[in-house]
Amino acid sequence: RKSANKSNEPLVWQWVDDADPSKIGDKEVRTAYRLNLPKCTSCRKNCQAKPTCLFGLGEAQWLSSPSHLEWENIEQKLEKQIEAEKRKEGELVGLKNLGATCYVNTYLQLWYHNVSFRNALYNLEYKDEDLALQQTLCGQLQLIFGLLESSISKSVDPSHFIKCLGLATDLQQDAQEFSKLFLSLLENTPSLSQVIKEQFCGQYTYVTVCKSCQSVTERPSNFYELDLNVQGHKDLKSCILEFLREEKLVGENQYYCTKCQSKQDALRKIALKKLPETLNLQLLRFVY
């Protein structure tokens, strides 16, 4: 059996049969679709005959003015939220993780706590010949450092800095590669070049000794970090000793000696020549 509302459905549209289409206006359309019916005030369930019935959607609370007590509750909740976001005296400021940006946040915190680098960045003055990209990156970095130092909030949102770099927030990148590329970019800024070299750039030499003629060849190289293998080691000292250990070049891996004009057995090692003020040690935790 059809309900009364459904059985009366055709009656609402009977006027269409005799109506002149050119004379159908907004009034007729609103009437046909029941949009002119008064809003419901005391329904126990949604009215099928009234599209304006908002029962169950909280319309009574939306359309009514909140009482004084309700306003006080809202204000108290907001105050608690604001207070929860405030940094307490002596606390450090954190960085929000935007999804997969923890590797960026880690380096931002490390660079911020390097006082020499931080001060050099604060004192950076832009010149007309500086590249716009470098200005933007340095400006965003200045802003983040300033907020990390003096923000009243517990955390800083690095969204603009991440966007400036063109990084995807949902894609995990290699932290070491990010550090190298970003520091090399900042190193092209004249005002920062010297402090970056002093604080982060070291130098070692690849030393090769021919076992036949005892000739020594050296190839210097700059580094921003030392890659240390941790497999089979129990402390940092043993990792560094392995990094500096002599390697025998024999068999198919023989060394071509320019003095002997032939391949010869040789010894090769890395000799540290200059360490930076801040030594970055990368622990190779993954083995393939």
Side-chain angles (χ1 to χ4, degrees):
R1 181 183 175 184
K2 292 184 179 180
S3 64
N5 288 334
K6 291 186 177 180
S7 62
N8 292 331
E9 183 73 21
L11 299 177
V12 182
W13 293 92
Q14 281 185 354
W15 61 273
V16 177
D17 297 334
D18 302 322
D20 183 356
S22 62
K23 296 182 180 180
I24 297 177
D26 181 68
K27 180 180 178 181
E28 287 76 15
V29 172
R30 293 183 65 84
T31 301
Y33 284 100
R34 303 175 183 141
L35 297 178
N36 289 332
L37 296 175
K39 291 184 179 180
C40 301
T41 57
S42 58
C43 297
R44 294 185 177 180
K45 62 179 181 178
N46 290 343
C47 299
Q48 295 182 2
K50 292 184 180 181
T52 56
C53 181
L54 303 176
F55 175 80
L57 298 180
E59 75 287 350
Q61 187 173 2
W62 299 344
L63 299 177
S64 61
S65 299
S67 64
H68 179 69
L69 182 60
E70 288 175 334
W71 269 120
E72 286 185 349
N73 291 335
I74 294 173
E75 289 176 353
Q76 289 175 1
K77 288 181 180 179
L78 289 175
E79 288 177 359
K80 287 182 180 179
Q81 292 176 358
I82 294 173
E83 194 63 31
E85 289 294 322
K86 281 186 178 180
R87 175 175 59 145
K88 295 180 181 179
E89 186 177 354
E91 285 185 343
L92 298 177
V93 180
L95 286 161
K96 291 183 179 179
N97 188 349
L98 305 179
T101 57
C102 52
Y103 67 100
V104 178
N105 290 355
T106 300
Y107 275 105
L108 286 176
Q109 290 283 12
L110 287 173
W111 294 330
Y112 165 75
H113 286 288
N114 186 301
V115 178
S116 297
F117 177 64
R118 187 202 315 167
N119 291 336
L121 189 71
Y122 284 162
N123 295 328
L124 183 62
E125 295 181 359
Y126 301 120
K127 299 179 181 179
D128 293 337
E129 60 267 22
D130 289 340
L131 294 176
L133 178 62
Q134 293 173 350
Q135 289 184 23
T136 305
L137 287 176
C138 292
Q140 290 296 331
L141 198 56
Q142 282 179 326
L143 176 60
I144 287 181
F145 278 13
L147 291 173
L148 287 175
E149 184 172 2
S150 59
S151 176
I152 62 172
S153 299
K154 285 185 176 180
S155 60
V156 174
D157 188 343
S159 297
H160 294 294
F161 177 75
I162 299 296
K163 184 178 180 180
C164 182
L165 287 172
L167 298 174
T169 58
D170 58 347
L171 183 62
Q172 183 70 39
Q173 303 282 0
D174 183 75
Q176 183 182 5
E177 184 180 4
F178 166 74
S179 173
K180 285 182 179 179
L181 293 175
F182 189 73
L183 285 179
S184 63
L185 180 60
L186 291 182
E187 199 173 9
N188 291 328
T189 303
S191 302
L192 295 177
S193 178
Q194 188 60 35
V195 70
I196 288 177
K197 288 179 180 178
E198 292 175 354
Q199 292 297 316
F200 306 111
C201 185
Q203 187 180 68
Y204 54 58
T205 301
Y206 290 99
V207 181
T208 307
V209 181
C210 176
K211 298 195 70 175
S212 176
C213 66
Q214 299 302 310
S215 62
V216 179
T217 59
E218 296 185 353
R219 181 166 58 89
S221 178
N222 294 332
F223 69 89
Y224 286 103
E225 61 278 311
L226 297 180
D227 301 325
L228 304 180
N229 180 29
V230 298
Q231 187 180 33
H233 301 288
K234 61 180 181 179
D235 54 34
L236 183 60
K237 181 179 179 180
S238 61
C239 294
I240 295 176
L241 289 175
E242 181 188 346
F243 180 79
L244 301 175
R245 186 183 59 188
E246 286 186 342
E247 176 188 4
K248 294 181 179 180
L249 304 179
V250 297
E252 295 181 355
N253 199 30
Q254 277 187 324
Y255 164 71
Y256 182 83
C257 178
T258 55
K259 188 174 182 179
C260 298
Q261 294 293 309
S262 61
K263 287 188 174 183
Q264 300 290 338
D265 291 347
L267 293 175
R268 176 174 290 170
K269 66 178 181 178
I270 292 177
L272 296 174
K273 295 297 184 181
K274 174 182 173 295
L275 294 178
E277 292 292 330
T278 303
L279 180 60
N280 184 353
L281 300 176
Q282 294 287 340
L283 304 182
L284 305 178
R285 299 175 293 115
F286 302 102
V287 179
Y288 298 96

